[in-house]
Amino acid sequence: MTALVIAEHDNASLKGSTLHTITAAAQCGGDVHVLIAGHQADAAAQAAAKVAGVTKVLVADGPQFADGLAENVAAQALALAAGYAHILAPATAYGKNILPRVAAKLDVAQISEITKVVAADTFERPFYAGNAIATVQSSDATKVITVRTTAFDAPADGGSATVESVTAVADSGKSSFVSREIATSARPELTAAKVVVSGGRGLGSEENFKILDPLADKLGAALGASRAAVDAGYVPNDWQVGQTGKVVAPDLYIAVGISGAIQHLAGMKDSKTIVAINKDAEAPIFSVADYGIVGDLFEVVPALVKELG
Amino acid sequence: MKVLVPVKRVVDYNVKVRVKSDQSGVDIANVKMSMNPFDEIAVEEAVRLKEAGKATEIIAVSCGAPQSQETLRTAMAIGADRSVLVETDIELQPLAVAKLLKAIADKEQPQLIILGKQAIDDDANQTGQMLAALLDWPQATYASKVEIDGDKAKVTREVDGGLEVVSLTLPAIVTTDLRLNEPRYVTLPNIMKAKKKTIDNLKPADLGVDVAPRLKTLKVSEPAGRAAGIIVPDVATLVDKLRNEAKVI
């Protein structure tokens, strides 16, 4: 029984999401192979070979894979699918885009965003915005799975997998990459950060959001936001934490001026420690917070920065 | 250009669902149901394409219980021209829906199918991609902007870290993200007009599709609750708790 992990990478390096997925793949039992479909992605392939638990890295090289188009990467995974009991990808924009295509072509169900491997054919996954957890069993020959990365630890280094080239599938010719606009940030990546400071509508403006900067700097935190803050245009949309944004599970999550709508809680309630700063004592965020301060964020946040020294 | 828009009837997004005590599922008896919010955005986008002269006809499709008719009426009140309902009492999983939609697409021959990126009940985020695979069409998921130019669709997608633009050759699949548009409110005159529009009723068997569920749900449980927190009086206490009690800073 062997599992194939479709690696998310940028050709030069492996994304952290891939590491967490490898852990989930290993829990399915058996060997773990990693597919790097990319263009001149030797560095990413070498990185994958060093991950503990990986026994083989398969490299499909070609310009048609350079930008991770779903049509081409899914076709490549399908070309290799025979013989694998499990095919996994991270439940990120990348993995979720590709994997259902693979499942449909194999005529199997796909299991989305698993948070636990119960057995090789049985998994737990949240639904209804995290308000219920389903335990599902698949009787399909191949289990096709996306993995909620925050639910699995990253494996250690120390692997020495063999790297093997595979025949690349041809370009589908039906889609092409045009451009990419990546928001630049010196802060840690939101989904990987140990501390996240998030702001909501209570901040009131794009300008006011800067009040969170010193706090984030002090804690080495990533900055996040509620959907209300994103929709109001205070911050870019890739900051959004929630059911329709990113799911995070840091050691410390500080929610500032966020009421705590169901859709937001779905993205952060697995954080180890949650702190809420809100002037409304009735705000639902206090029902999940370990520590709450009822007060004006414009006074509390600077005071907190000062107290941290 | 014909546009197909699949819509799903789901528990309203404001409802906090409860897990049944026998762990067989969530209790959705007597709760408010609405159109999946991402699907509303899909219908709105199709209507805007029609208003811009790009689309000629919009067909809304829903698969599921007979009450999905209400959802189709809403889609037609927003501006869909007619509807297809594939009626079944069986629990439909994304692969089954994708197969039903493929059968309808084969019949209707649309150039564009716009779906929501995910339904807020099963949170699967699969149907659009599966349909694209079954039809062998290109896909642009998580769209925040769609431009149709001749036989190409240029779509801006929301990806982790920012935005990405892809170009697809039509026919193609687009799935909507929240920021694609703001759906219009349905007006009373349009609700009345929608009552006169047609809904074709079909059964999965009419389309030759086996919709038996592939995944078996063994149980549904409540997520682990969090221990009750405390309200601290000042930031000094907060920092002390974070350092010495939670040990997270």
Side-chain angles (χ1 to χ4, degrees):
Chain A
M1 201 163 66
T2 311
L4 179 67
V5 171
I6 301 175
E8 179 174 11
H9 62 90
D10 60 4
N11 296 309
S13 66
L14 213 53
K15 298 269 184 183
S17 59
T18 304
L19 300 175
H20 300 277
T21 307
I22 288 168
T23 301
Q27 289 177 9
C28 293
D31 284 352
V32 178
H33 294 179
V34 174
L35 166 64
I36 305 272
H39 188 43
Q40 294 166 348
D42 292 343
Q46 290 305 327
K50 290 195 182 74
V51 178
V54 176
T55 52
K56 198 192 275 185
V57 177
L58 305 167
V59 180
D61 182 80
Q64 68 272 34
F65 302 123
D67 295 291
L69 289 170
E71 295 78 7
N72 294 336
V73 178
Q76 185 66 54
L78 280 164
L80 301 167
Y84 287 105
H86 297 80
I87 300 177
L88 305 95
T92 55
Y94 177 85
K96 292 193 279 195
N97 191 33
I98 293 166
L99 221 56
R101 275 190 93 98
V102 176
K105 287 282 194 189
L106 292 172
D107 194 29
V108 303
Q110 193 224 261
I111 308 157
S112 295
E113 301 227 13
I114 64 159
T115 49
K116 190 175 175 188
V117 178
V118 179
D121 65 348
T122 307
F123 310 91
E124 282 186 9
R125 63 173 301 264
F127 65 136
Y128 279 101
N131 286 307
I133 311 289
T135 306
V136 295
Q137 187 175 40
S138 164
S139 51
D140 286 320
T142 315
K143 278 66 171 164
V144 179
I145 300 162
T146 61
V147 176
R148 178 167 290 190
T149 55
T150 56
F152 296 88
D153 293 332
D157 279 347
S160 54
T162 54
V163 178
E164 200 175 279
S165 278
V166 296
T167 312
V169 298
D171 190 348
S172 80
K174 288 177 177 166
S175 67
S176 59
F177 174 81
V178 178
S179 63
R180 182 173 289 137
E181 192 184 312
I182 296 300
T184 51
S185 169
R187 299 189 190 282
E189 204 207 341
L190 190 52
T191 52
K194 290 218 175 307
V195 182
V196 173
V197 175
S198 266
R201 205 202 295 271
L203 270 300
S205 71
E206 186 181 350
E207 193 55 34
N208 288 349
F209 238 84
K210 294 195 171 62
I211 195 176
L212 300 182
D213 285 344
L215 181 57
D217 287 341
K218 204 83 158 201
L219 296 165
L223 282 170
S226 69
R227 185 183 154 198
V230 171
D231 282 352
Y234 300 167
V235 294
N237 59 37
D238 57 301
W239 287 28
Q240 186 186 318
V241 173
Q243 185 189 15
T244 56
K246 289 183 177 151
V247 177
V248 300
D251 289 343
L252 175 60
Y253 188 90
I254 304 182
V256 182
I258 291 176
S259 65
I262 295 173
Q263 102 89 24
H264 185 74
L265 300 184
M268 47 65 80
K269 66 185 169 57
D270 291 327
S271 305
K272 194 172 153 218
T273 300
I274 298 172
V275 171
I277 300 169
N278 205 300
K279 65 180 178 200
D280 175 10
E282 303 296 316
I285 190 78
F286 287 116
S287 68
V288 299
D290 298 282
Y291 306 109
I293 289 194
V294 180
D296 183 352
L297 69 94
F298 296 103
E299 287 163 20
V300 174
V301 172
L304 184 54
V305 174
K306 211 169 145 203
E307 186 67 31
L308 286 166
Chain B
M1 179 176 79
K2 219 190 245 189
V3 182
L4 200 68
V5 187
V7 294
K8 184 176 187 184
R9 178 176 179 265
V10 298
V11 171
D12 189 85
Y13 71 99
N14 282 313
V15 174
K16 189 169 189 289
V17 298
R18 296 199 186 285
V19 173
K20 288 185 192 166
S21 52
D22 66 357
Q23 299 200 319
S24 63
V26 297
D27 192 0
I28 57 167
N30 306 317
V31 303
K32 188 182 175 207
M33 306 288 283
S34 320
M35 188 190 297
N36 180 43
F38 292 103
D39 302 350
E40 269 186 67
I41 295 170
V43 179
E44 174 68 32
E45 193 64 18
V47 174
R48 288 186 190 188
L49 285 173
K50 193 176 172 191
E51 287 167 348
K54 303 278 186 189
T56 50
E57 188 184 26
I58 302 165
I59 307 157
V61 191
S62 195
C63 307
Q67 296 92 321
S68 301
Q69 273 202 29
E70 297 157 19
T71 311
L72 291 170
R73 293 283 171 208
T74 307
M76 292 190 291
I78 298 172
D81 296 294
R82 62 187 171 90
S83 295
V84 179
L85 170 63
V86 185
E87 207 182 299
T88 173
D89 290 329
I90 296 173
E91 177 212 340
L92 291 177
Q93 293 179 346
L95 182 62
V97 175
K99 287 178 178 177
L100 292 171
L101 294 174
K102 178 190 186 292
I104 290 166
D106 286 343
K107 217 158 89 174
E108 299 282 356
Q109 298 285 317
Q111 283 293 291
L112 185 64
I113 304 180
I114 311 179
L115 307 88
K117 77 164 175 182
Q118 76 188 56
I120 59 166
D121 51 1
D122 64 12
D123 286 336
N125 192 334
Q126 300 173 10
T127 309
Q129 296 90 311
M130 287 185 152
L131 179 57
L134 296 176
L135 287 165
D136 256 320
W137 290 4
Q139 70 185 43
T141 49
Y142 325 132
S144 60
K145 192 175 176 193
V146 177
E147 295 161 276
I148 305 290
D149 185 14
D151 70 337
K152 300 269 185 197
K154 198 169 127 190
V155 183
T156 305
R157 304 178 55 227
E158 297 197 3
V159 295
D160 297 331
L163 300 171
E164 185 178 290
V165 182
V166 292
S167 171
L168 311 178
T169 305
L170 299 177
I173 303 273
V174 169
T175 77
T176 65
D177 215 320
L178 277 170
R179 279 158 217 90
L180 181 57
N181 61 49
E182 204 162 310
R184 68 195 66 186
Y185 286 105
V186 293
T187 59
L188 189 60
N190 284 340
I191 292 172
M192 300 312 286
K193 270 186 229 161
K195 287 186 176 167
K196 297 204 178 74
K197 295 180 181 177
T198 57
I199 299 181
D200 282 339
N201 265 65
L202 296 171
K203 298 271 191 250
D206 300 334
L207 297 165
V209 176
D210 173 14
V211 293
R214 299 295 191 81
L215 286 180
K216 193 170 149 198
T217 301
L218 302 179
K219 69 167 183 180
V220 173
S221 48
E222 294 265 1
R226 296 186 70 93
I230 54 165
I231 299 289
V232 294
D234 51 46
V235 293
T237 318
L238 174 64
V239 171
D240 175 62
K241 295 269 189 202
L242 291 177
R243 280 209 176 107
N244 303 315
E245 199 173 274
K247 298 189 180 14
V248 285
I249 55 172

